[in-house]
Amino acid sequence: MRLANLTGAGLGLRRGLLTELIGDGASGADFLEVAPENWIGVGGRLGKQLRALSERRPLLCHGLSLNLGGFAPLNLDLLYAIKGFLYAHGVLAYSEHLSACADDGQLYDLMPLPFSEESVARIAERVRIVQDVLERPLIIENVSAYARLPGELDEADFVRAVLERADCQLLLDVNNVYVNSLNFGFDAEAYIAAMPSERIAYLHVAGHYDQAADLKIDTHGAPVIDPVWALLSSAYAQHGVRPTLLERDFNFPPLAELYAEQAHIRSLQQAAQPQSRYGT
């Protein structure tokens, strides 16, 4: 799958970066991504600034609270609010986490799922409902985790099964693959190779926190490290170059440092194009 007219390296738009991005027109980013829940209904100065940036750069949305893996009913009020936001800002694509984040109330965290056939069937039905309401494809993201629940599938097979059963697309988060490979002892390269190329819409990279040798926390609060860059190169070689977004949620460095990481993404994309299996 390709996102039409979207190439290069994007940046997650956080309010802590807003002033600097407005100041230079997001000149170092080929596209931007926001969490719609953080912006729905926001007006005044912040709303005008978001509008100004969305008119200068293509905008994607990455949701936080649909609760695709949960048991509570889908929040249709939220879905329709997101639909209006996507339309109002000409958003090119909408993604969500393959996780649970609510029960009787919002959990404000991304909880792991059982990697089971029952989970696949239930989540696929929820994804289909979301796609019907939004009248557009949904992109689901593989998530980082720190515990495993009982299930007969491994993570890569579970993600593939949901993609096929729901007939949706994948946001391949390379840092999450790396984090989980160390937390749970699997081969990150093999995981990425197992993903269906035709369903990969775009990619994420980010930094994380080394809690211990066998425990990495996906914080988005540090620069991308060399092993994750290497895994990104491997993803390009396996699946072809895709638009790739840099996430940074706090500990913001000068904007020039984030732009330098984006420039590195582009250099890896350029290097991968001649040998990528599926081209661009």
Side-chain angles (χ1 to χ4, degrees), residues 23-278:
D24 81 343
S27 62
D30 297 313
F31 58 97
L32 299 169
E33 182 190 77
V34 299
E37 294 92 334
N38 292 338
W39 292 94
I40 289 170
V42 173
R45 177 179 57 85
L46 290 175
K48 290 178 181 177
Q49 289 177 324
L50 176 62
R51 172 67 67 185
L53 287 172
S54 70
E55 290 174 350
R56 294 178 186 176
R57 291 289 182 268
L59 189 65
L60 308 182
C61 277
H62 186 45
L64 300 170
S65 49
L66 272 194
N67 193 32
L68 291 176
F71 287 88
L74 288 167
N75 185 336
L76 293 181
D77 289 340
L78 173 62
L79 261 180
Y80 280 107
I82 289 171
K83 183 177 183 178
F85 183 89
L86 301 180
Y87 176 79
H89 288 276
V91 173
L92 295 183
Y94 174 57
S95 61
E96 248 290 358
H97 299 85
L98 184 55
S99 66
C101 63
D103 189 7
D104 289 334
Q106 191 69 26
L107 298 175
Y108 299 102
D109 206 348
L110 303 174
M111 306 302 292
L113 304 174
F115 296 153
S116 66
E117 293 291 350
E118 185 279 331
S119 288
V120 170
R122 183 172 50 80
I123 294 166
E125 177 59 25
R126 291 164 77 88
V127 170
R128 284 192 289 268
I129 292 170
V130 171
Q131 294 185 138
D132 287 346
V133 171
L134 296 182
E135 300 180 285
R136 65 163 70 204
L138 180 66
I139 304 170
I140 60 174
E141 182 192 42
N142 59 294
V143 299
S144 58
Y146 314 102
R148 283 285 188 253
L149 302 180
E152 65 271 19
L153 303 174
D154 67 21
E155 182 180 344
D157 287 342
F158 174 74
V159 173
R160 286 178 59 94
V162 173
L163 292 169
E164 293 298 325
R165 189 80 63 89
D167 192 21
C168 63
Q169 299 159 18
L170 175 65
L171 163 53
L172 179 57
D173 190 307
V174 175
N175 184 64
N176 287 351
V177 175
Y178 179 79
V179 164
N180 285 2
S181 73
L182 295 177
N183 289 349
F184 302 108
F186 64 77
D187 185 329
E189 298 247 2
Y191 181 114
I192 286 179
M195 293 298 101
S197 296
E198 68 278 6
R199 293 192 182 274
I200 299 174
Y202 70 113
L203 288 80
H204 273 179
V205 290
H208 58 268
Y209 176 66
D210 291 327
Q211 181 73 32
D214 59 351
L215 179 58
K216 313 301 178 185
I217 308 296
D218 179 44
T219 59
H220 305 169
V224 181
I225 65 171
D226 288 343
V228 175
W229 288 129
L231 203 56
L232 178 62
S233 292
S234 179
Y236 292 154
Q238 290 285 344
H239 300 292
V241 172
R242 298 291 196 279
T244 302
L245 183 118
L246 174 69
E247 293 185 290
R248 189 66 173 261
D249 289 352
F250 67 101
N251 290 337
F252 297 118
L255 191 56
E257 292 185 23
L258 297 179
Y259 284 167
E261 287 192 279
Q262 292 185 282
H264 189 59
I265 291 171
R266 294 187 195 96
S267 71
L268 295 178
Q269 291 172 332
Q270 292 170 358
Q273 284 177 347
Q275 73 261 19
S276 64
R277 183 188 303 175
Y278 296 95

